[in-house]
Amino acid sequence: MPTPNTSENLNEPAYQKDDSQLRLPSYGGQAVMEGVLMRGKTALAMSCRAPDGQIVTIEEKLPQFYRSKWMTVPFVRGVIGLWDALNLGMRYLTKSANIQTGEDEKLEGSSLVFTIVLSLALGIAVFFLLPALAAGGLEKLLNLSHWWSNLVEGLFRLLILVLYMALVGRIPEIKRTFMYHGAEHKTINAFEAGLELTPENVEKMTTVHPRCGTSFILTLVLISVLFFSILGPLPLGLRLLTRLLLLPVVSGIAYEYIRFTANHMDSPVIRAIIQPNLLLQKLTTKEPSIDMLEVSISAFKHMYTAENSNSSTLS
């Protein structure tokens, strides 16, 4: 089990600028309650600002499974990665909440699986089945072709997504989480730029990043319009069933698209294509404060140090 430790002096950069093996896209992260989770191929670290003002960090080594051959198989790795992100995200959101409350509740085993499945089911119902149901009703009411019906479905899905992000971002607690999301992006962007990870350097970076989960969701919505249109006209019941059963397939395609664009950012065409993804991130990232950047930098440096240590052990 990972054990928490209060942060030590991490002013010296924990990374080597000429290190090509551990460069992104191996690294990513997410915001948690009053903190940031940073993840690599072999290790992760979460740093949170505790109520007493101290930075508390939890580190964890990742199982060998994350370096198995399945994680190299296109489309399959996207589905596995999505489930893994939900799993780790739920666990560490709980851990970050425990740091804020001082409680020691555990979310693991069957309770963790139940929470993930319930959250995933609600998300699928709201963002996939509800738009499909509404578009199917309009198709019958207005005698729309299946092409127009799928387009309307996609627009409904996109509208729900944008409204949801815009509204929840107004909640003070969620707004702070979005600020930590911005801190996570800034830290990773600074690392990619080869800068020393200090709050002053990181503060100058942008809050958007091409591999963000927000970009993945928008890509998922847009690809679903094209993918489901290929299926042609379907009865309402079968329409809903295909949205459910084919979601892993669409997720795998969206993952590969995000991966491809992130690896070809030197192309002006790719940079132009991903602009809608980056614009949508403005809803889920906010400018962080300096103390938030300190937390994000702490998480990245702890993760990177553990990643280097694991890499040395594996080599």
Side-chain angles (χ1 to χ4, degrees), residues 134-192:
L138 283 178
E139 181 180 343
K140 288 185 177 180
L141 182 64
L142 302 178
N143 196 27
L144 299 175
S145 69
H146 78 276
W147 292 102
W148 279 109
S149 177
N150 278 287
L151 180 59
V152 169
E153 179 184 340
L155 291 175
F156 277 156
R157 191 170 292 128
L158 183 59
L159 180 62
I160 292 173
L161 174 66
V162 172
L163 286 177
Y164 172 79
M165 290 179 175
L167 291 176
V168 299
R170 295 179 177 272
I171 302 172
E173 293 80 3
I174 302 299
K175 184 177 180 180
R176 284 190 62 82
T177 303
F178 285 176
M179 292 170 73
Y180 276 107
H181 189 194
E184 176 232 325
H185 283 188
K186 281 176 175 279
T187 302
I188 292 178
N189 283 328
F191 173 77
E192 283 190 296

Side-chain angles (χ1 to χ4, degrees), residues 114-125:
F114 175 77
T115 302
I116 295 175
V117 171
L118 179 61
S119 301
L120 190 59
L122 288 174
I124 291 173

Side-chain angles (χ1 to χ4, degrees), residues 174-240:
I174 302 299
K175 184 177 180 180
R176 284 190 62 82
T177 303
F178 285 176
M179 292 170 73
Y180 276 107
H181 189 194
E184 176 232 325
H185 283 188
K186 281 176 175 279
T187 302
I188 292 178
N189 283 328
F191 173 77
E192 283 190 296
L195 300 178
E196 181 181 354
L197 296 185
T198 65
E200 294 74 22
N201 285 341
V202 174
E203 186 181 24
K204 301 172 185 176
M205 307 306 293
T206 177
T207 61
V208 300
H209 195 281
R211 286 193 318 278
C212 175
T214 307
S215 297
F216 172 82
I217 294 173
L218 177 59
T219 301
L220 183 66
V221 169
L222 297 178
I223 290 179
S224 68
V225 175
L226 299 175
F227 189 84
F228 294 139
S229 294
I230 298 174
L231 301 179
L234 296 171
L236 183 58
L238 188 57
R239 180 181 188 139
L240 295 176

